[in-house]
């Protein structure tokens, strides 16, 4: 019998029941909830007269819809306030731990899970948010679900899921200077397209992946969904164990050692077979940026937007529609395009390492006059660390202001909206039409590139300033 | 809690020949502030459907009176991006019962099925045929028969089989929902928990 992949090992260990010709009933170890995709699930539960089955396995925090300035004041927007209050009410009623606004642990769900040690190797983790794939960086099977499924987890700690196929993506070699985890994943998505991973769960492997910090690995797994994959994961190793050690909810002392022993077995067997396998070479990966309206439309920042002749016939309609929306020309050079906004934040790149990268780059420099920059930490802990490490001061001297944690302009549900027509370089994960505000235009890039753009006011290869 | 039983549908269709329609387009984030499941249909495709002042954009298909029906026929990779179930609610609330495409994003597909909205995946070739037929003759009727897993372009009789797992098919046909199923498994779930302790 062929060996098992890491994904199979974790998935199979959680199957409570198999339905013939149907989905697996999968047990969920950790469930994260936030204010936007949970209220209807609680309402459904109550309509059925049910209690939350295992309240201790769910953790809640408001993030999508919260202001990023003056968080100590009541939320101005009535609907947002109602939604956040509803979360508080539901958690109180059902005995669920809530890290509300102002709590030192509040933040974007996918930033706080790992930071608090809630996320651990070998777990199944779900959340009503597609970027739950982030937690896969720890060797967990983690994926986003819809609200009906949130209700299922609340009611039974299980969901019903057809098992995805397995894909492995190997990235081999040493990263070139100025190339970051974000560039790797933007490169991969540009190669396999925004739908190339649909139906799959991706394992990322290879020397380049292993060389990444946990933050970098999270950035990679986070964007798995942007190529359509259900999730992505990376085998846990020393880097993983060291990251988890001593975190609030991590096992301690002997328990930690025992856990590590178990976690070490979480890797793909040598003779395991994948449904699809791809390998990329870091020699081909440069700093990346997107030019279109899905994350697959990315290219080398030092290059040009592809011309029509580079695009496959079946993608031409999307390509033309995207360029029209972005106001770009086929074949146009990317460097030099003037930019209006820079957004550093989100569950993709709103962790402390990302803020450090930006601070290091902008230290002693000033932001360009034409740039409005929003720097939004992924959590209160990140925010606090940024103050403690002097990052906030460096940013301020360079003309930026550190805001308060939340999803912010990543999806622009709160007031942090890029105005119509304005062009933003963003460290988030989606460049869809209007994603950052109606009519806004988004180019996705790494924190390093975003910092270079903030300083020069236009698209630039960050390596020119290193 | 039962959802409506899915019956065979014969209806005209609305064509949306755009690829990679993401859920941010289906229902933009600023309309996700509601805490109930109703009323999202009003804002379905909001930013393609209305301009900044809230006036209908005449070019957009939902604003063209010639097209109507219970079937939405859309380009490849429909429903990508955000997991928001609000996208499925909005489509269903607007009055669609079926979405046809050559490719669906996984989460959207689950969300649709959980709300009695049937995603029908057809070949690229059949999808082009549908677009062509509807655009040439908007009164074209399409039949979606879940029992036989068959979609038929009625005027020509062209048909194609589509896939759905047998469990979900039973659920849709009978109006069952997953939570009832899971609640019946409680003992097994508790057993599983014990075996891991
Ligand atoms: S930061 Fe953006 S992608 Fe991440 S959870 Fe928030 S809205 Fe979703």
């Amino acid at each position: 019998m062929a060996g098992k992949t890491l994904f199979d090992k974790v998935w199979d260990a959680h199957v409570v029941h198999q339905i013939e010709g149907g989905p697996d009933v999968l047990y969920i170890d950790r469930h994260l909830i936030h204010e936007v995709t949970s209220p209807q699930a609680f309402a459904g539960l109550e309509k059925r007269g049910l209690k939350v089955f295992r309240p201790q396995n769910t953790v809640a925090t408001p993030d999508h819809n919260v202001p990023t300035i003056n968080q100590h004041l009541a939320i101005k927007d009535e609907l947002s306030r109602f939604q956040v209050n509803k979360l508080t009410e539901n958690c109180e009623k059902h005995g669920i731990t809530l890290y509300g606004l102002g709590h030192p642990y509040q933040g974007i769900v996918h930033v706080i899970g790992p930071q608090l040690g809630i996320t651990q190797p070998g777990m199944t983790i779900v959340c009503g948010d597609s970027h739950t794939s982030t937690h896969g960086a720890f060797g967990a099977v983690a994926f986003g679900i819809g609200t009906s499924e949130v209700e299922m987890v609340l009611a039974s700690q299980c969901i019903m899921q057809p098992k995805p196929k397995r894909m492995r993506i190997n990235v081999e070699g040493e990263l070139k200077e100025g190339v970051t985890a974000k560039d790797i994943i933007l490169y991969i998505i540009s190669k396999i397209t925004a739908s190339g991973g649909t139906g799959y769960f991706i394992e990322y492997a290879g020397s380049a992946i292993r060389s990444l910090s946990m933050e970098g690995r999270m950035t990679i797994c986070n964007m798995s969904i942007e190529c359509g994959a259900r999730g992505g994961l990376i085998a846990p190793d020393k880097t993983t164990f060291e990251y988890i050690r001593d975190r609030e909810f991590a096992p301690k002392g002997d328990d930690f050692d025992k856990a590590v022993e178990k976690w070490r077995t979480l890797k793909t067997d040598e003779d395991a077979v994948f449904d699809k396998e791809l390998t990329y070479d870091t020699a081909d990966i440069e700093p990346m940026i997107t030019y279109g309206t899905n994350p697959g439309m990315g290219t080398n920042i030092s290059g040009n937007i592809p011309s029509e002749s580079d695009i496959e016939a079946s993608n031409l309609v999307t390509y033309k529609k995207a360029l029209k929306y972005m106001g770009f020309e086929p074949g146009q050079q990317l460097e030099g395009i003037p930019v209006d906004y820079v957004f550093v934040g989100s569950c993709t790149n709103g962790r402390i390492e990302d803020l450090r990268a930006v601070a290091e780059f902008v230290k002693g420099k000033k932001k360009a006059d034409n740039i409005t920059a929003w720097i939004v930490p992924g959590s209160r802990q990140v925010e606090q660390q940024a103050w403690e490490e002097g990052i906030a001061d460096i940013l301020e001297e360079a003309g930026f202001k550190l805001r308060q944690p939340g999803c912010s302009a990543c999806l622009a549900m709160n007031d942090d909206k890029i105005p119509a027509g304005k062009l933003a370089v963003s460290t988030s994960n989606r460049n869809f039409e209007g994603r950052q505000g109606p009519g806004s235009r988004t180019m996705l890039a790494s924190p390093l590139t975003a910092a270079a753009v903030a300083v020069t006011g236009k698209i630039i290869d960050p390596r020119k300033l290193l | 809690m039962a959802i409506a039983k899915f019956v065979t549908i014969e209806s005209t269709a609305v064509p949306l020949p755009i690829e990679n329609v993401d859920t941010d387009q289906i229902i933009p984030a600023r309309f996700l502030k509601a805490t109930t499941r109703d009323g999202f249909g009003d804002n379905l495709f909001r930013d393609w459907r209305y301009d900044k002042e809230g006036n209908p954009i005449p070019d957009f298909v939902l604003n063209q009176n010639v097209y109507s029906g219970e079937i939405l026929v859309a380009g490849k990779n429909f429903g990508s991006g955000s997991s928001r179930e609000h996208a499925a609610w909005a489509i269903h609330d607007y009055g669609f019962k079926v979405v046809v495409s050559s490719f669906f994003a996984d989460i959207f597909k689950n969300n649709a099925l959980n709300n009695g909205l049937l995603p029908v995946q057809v070949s690229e070739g059949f999808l082009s045929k549908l677009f062509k037929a509807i655009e040439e003759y908007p009164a074209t009727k399409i039949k979606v028969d879940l029992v036989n897993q068959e979609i038929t372009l009625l005027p020509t009789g062209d048909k194609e089989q589509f896939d759905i797992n047998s469990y979900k098919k039973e659920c849709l046909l009978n109006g069952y929902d997953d939570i009832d199923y899971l609640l019946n498994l409680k003992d097994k779930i508790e057993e599983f928990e014990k075996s891991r302790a």
Side-chain angles (χ1 to χ4, degrees):
Chain A
M1 205 178 77
K4 276 187 163 191
T5 68
L6 166 61
F7 169 71
D8 286 308
K9 288 182 189 181
V10 180
W11 180 283
D12 295 352
H14 289 85
V15 174
V16 173
H17 178 68
Q18 271 175 320
I19 303 170
E20 218 176 305
D24 287 346
V25 176
L26 200 68
Y27 190 82
I28 300 304
D29 294 319
R30 292 288 179 275
H31 183 207
L32 306 167
I33 58 173
H34 60 83
E35 75 279 23
V36 176
T37 56
S38 68
Q40 292 87 351
F42 282 105
L45 208 65
E46 275 162 24
K47 217 164 159 189
R48 294 170 202 260
L50 295 172
K51 282 207 172 69
V52 175
F53 181 56
R54 294 288 179 247
Q56 68 274 22
N57 293 358
T58 295
V59 175
T61 195
D63 56 1
H64 282 62
N65 205 352
V66 301
T68 57
I69 39 173
N70 291 329
Q71 283 187 348
H72 61 289
L73 302 178
I75 301 176
K76 268 193 256 146
D77 181 278
E78 198 183 327
L79 289 172
S80 301
R81 192 174 61 240
F82 185 76
Q83 209 171 39
V84 171
N85 289 346
K86 198 85 199 158
L87 181 70
T88 311
E89 208 178 279
N90 284 328
C91 288
E92 276 171 5
K93 202 187 290 173
H94 293 275
I96 291 169
T97 302
L98 167 75
Y99 302 132
L101 272 192
H103 190 285
Y105 292 168
Q106 179 267 336
I108 303 171
V109 266
H110 312 311
V111 175
I112 70 167
Q115 207 167 39
L116 294 171
I118 294 170
T119 303
Q120 294 169 22
M123 284 181 166
T124 46
I125 302 173
V126 295
C127 172
D129 184 282
S130 57
H131 293 95
T132 310
S133 58
T134 312
H135 309 263
F138 292 79
V141 165
F143 52 91
I145 56 176
T147 298
S148 296
E149 293 165 319
V150 171
E151 191 179 335
M152 290 178 211
V153 182
L154 292 174
S156 69
Q157 207 53 42
C158 289
I159 54 166
M160 306 177 70
Q161 287 294 302
K163 190 175 178 182
K165 292 182 283 185
R166 314 146 194 84
M167 184 189 308
R168 180 159 61 188
I169 296 181
N170 306 295
V171 187
E172 301 288 358
E174 236 177 88
L175 286 179
K176 292 190 208 167
E177 195 194 17
V179 176
T180 67
K182 182 64 164 285
D183 301 301
I184 299 181
I185 190 65
L186 285 174
Y187 176 83
I188 291 173
I189 303 168
S190 78
K191 290 290 164 201
I192 70 175
T193 80
S195 61
T198 306
Y200 291 95
F201 218 94
I202 301 175
E203 178 175 346
Y204 300 95
S207 56
I209 301 291
R210 280 197 301 279
S211 75
L212 294 174
S213 65
M214 285 319 292
E215 282 87 352
R217 295 179 189 188
M218 285 188 250
T219 301
I220 302 249
C221 290
N222 172 278
M223 288 193 74
S224 302
I225 182 75
E226 306 311 336
C227 65
R230 208 53 214 277
L233 80 178
I234 294 171
D237 60 10
K238 223 172 135 232
T239 308
T240 323
F241 311 144
E242 288 315 312
Y243 180 98
I244 298 173
R245 188 193 293 275
D246 297 330
R247 298 215 172 239
E248 176 85 29
F249 297 104
K252 303 276 154 55
D254 270 2
D255 288 345
F256 181 77
D257 297 337
K258 265 190 227 149
V260 168
E261 224 170 277
K262 220 168 84 197
W263 294 341
R264 278 189 209 287
T265 65
L266 294 172
K267 53 177 174 229
T268 292
D269 296 333
E270 292 214 349
D271 54 344
V273 186
F274 287 84
D275 299 291
K276 189 168 182 175
E277 181 145 17
L278 298 165
T279 299
Y280 298 108
D281 185 343
T282 50
D284 300 328
I285 308 179
E286 311 266 325
M288 296 284 294
I289 195 155
T290 63
Y291 58 86
T293 54
N294 74 54
M297 303 177 86
T299 189
N300 294 344
I301 195 165
S302 54
N304 295 0
I305 292 172
S307 356
E308 249 174 64
S309 55
D310 302 330
I311 304 293
E312 275 179 48
S314 64
N315 290 329
L316 260 185
V317 178
T318 308
Y319 164 84
K320 284 189 185 157
K321 188 167 182 289
L323 288 197
K324 184 165 173 237
Y325 182 83
M326 294 299 290
F328 295 156
E329 297 297 325
Q332 185 180 345
Q333 184 185 327
L334 284 156
E335 280 192 292
I337 293 176
V339 174
D340 309 301
Y341 280 75
V342 166
F343 172 63
V344 176
S346 87
C347 59
T348 313
N349 284 119
R351 283 174 286 269
I352 191 68
E353 191 178 85
D354 304 311
L355 297 196
R356 281 188 198 129
V358 172
E360 198 186 322
F361 184 90
V362 302
K363 193 171 187 176
K365 302 187 178 82
K366 283 264 183 265
K367 82 165 182 68
D369 290 339
N370 56 316
I371 294 287
T372 305
W374 291 336
I375 305 195
V376 183
S379 71
R380 286 270 291 199
Q381 282 186 315
V382 171
E383 180 190 13
Q384 187 165 355
Q385 217 171 334
W387 282 102
E388 283 166 11
E389 291 183 14
I391 290 174
D393 299 325
I394 295 175
L395 291 174
E396 216 140 286
E397 270 163 41
F400 305 100
K401 203 167 159 30
L402 188 67
R403 295 171 81 100
Q404 290 173 306
C407 294
S408 180
C410 173
L411 93 162
M413 252 188 102
N414 66 356
D415 288 339
D416 306 348
K417 292 180 175 51
I418 311 288
K422 295 289 181 199
L423 183 63
V425 166
S426 175
T427 68
S428 56
N429 44 51
R430 285 184 175 143
N431 51 355
F432 299 149
E433 286 183 24
R435 169 78 178 183
Q436 298 196 285
S440 64
R441 302 178 295 145
T442 300
M443 301 175 84
L444 302 173
S446 74
L448 181 65
T449 299
V453 170
V455 167
T456 57
K458 53 186 198 234
I459 302 296
I460 184 167
D461 186 332
R463 292 175 299 189
K464 292 195 172 147
L465 299 175
L466 288 178
Chain B
M1 208 162 45
I3 46 175
K5 289 183 187 178
F6 194 95
V7 292
T8 296
I9 285 173
E10 278 186 30
S11 166
T12 50
V14 176
L16 188 69
I18 300 174
E19 295 186 357
N20 299 310
V21 174
D22 57 76
T23 52
D24 272 79
Q25 308 315 319
I26 299 173
I27 182 92
R30 59 188 191 282
F31 300 110
L32 307 185
K33 295 184 182 185
T35 50
T36 64
R37 290 175 182 241
D38 313 313
F40 289 101
D42 291 345
N43 294 312
L44 175 66
F45 294 116
R46 176 73 199 207
D47 293 337
W48 288 351
R49 201 165 139 201
Y50 299 104
D51 65 16
K52 263 182 263 149
E53 282 74 46
N55 303 313
I57 299 171
D59 279 355
F60 188 63
V61 68
L62 293 189
N63 296 324
Q64 296 172 351
N65 289 337
V66 288
Y67 299 114
S68 64
E70 296 183 318
I71 302 172
L72 177 66
V73 182
K76 185 178 160 188
N77 195 26
F78 186 82
S80 58
S82 158
S83 59
R84 58 188 70 160
E85 193 163 314
H86 313 68
W89 298 337
I91 295 172
H92 200 251
D93 188 58
Y94 184 86
F96 292 115
K97 302 230 160 63
V98 176
V99 189
V100 182
S101 178
S102 58
F103 204 76
F104 289 96
D106 286 330
I107 302 182
F108 176 80
K109 201 196 277 183
N110 277 351
N111 287 343
L113 288 167
N114 284 335
N115 287 282
L117 176 69
L118 179 66
V120 171
Q121 187 165 334
V122 297
S123 66
E124 297 272 349
F126 195 76
L127 187 67
S128 327
K129 257 187 221 166
L130 291 178
F131 280 135
K132 207 162 158 250
I134 302 164
E135 276 159 14
E136 269 169 19
Y137 186 55
T140 298
K141 282 205 168 175
I142 295 168
K143 181 174 163 190
V144 177
D145 173 356
L146 176 58
V147 176
N148 295 306
Q149 297 178 220
E150 205 169 68
I151 174 167
T152 313
L153 188 55
L154 284 176
T156 61
D158 268 323
K159 57 174 85 167
E160 195 167 274
Q161 297 288 127
F162 60 87
D163 268 348
I164 178 168
N165 72 54
S166 51
Y167 166 80
K168 271 292 168 198
K169 181 174 167 179
E170 283 302 301
C171 286
L172 282 177
L173 288 173
N174 296 300
Y176 299 152
D177 95 351
D178 286 351
I179 299 201
D180 297 330
Y181 189 97
L182 288 170
L183 292 175
N184 283 326
L185 277 185
K186 271 277 165 71
D187 291 347
K188 225 173 163 175
I189 296 170
E190 283 176 352
E191 227 172 81
F192 176 86
E193 286 177 326
K194 275 196 208 114
S195 74
R196 300 205 317 157

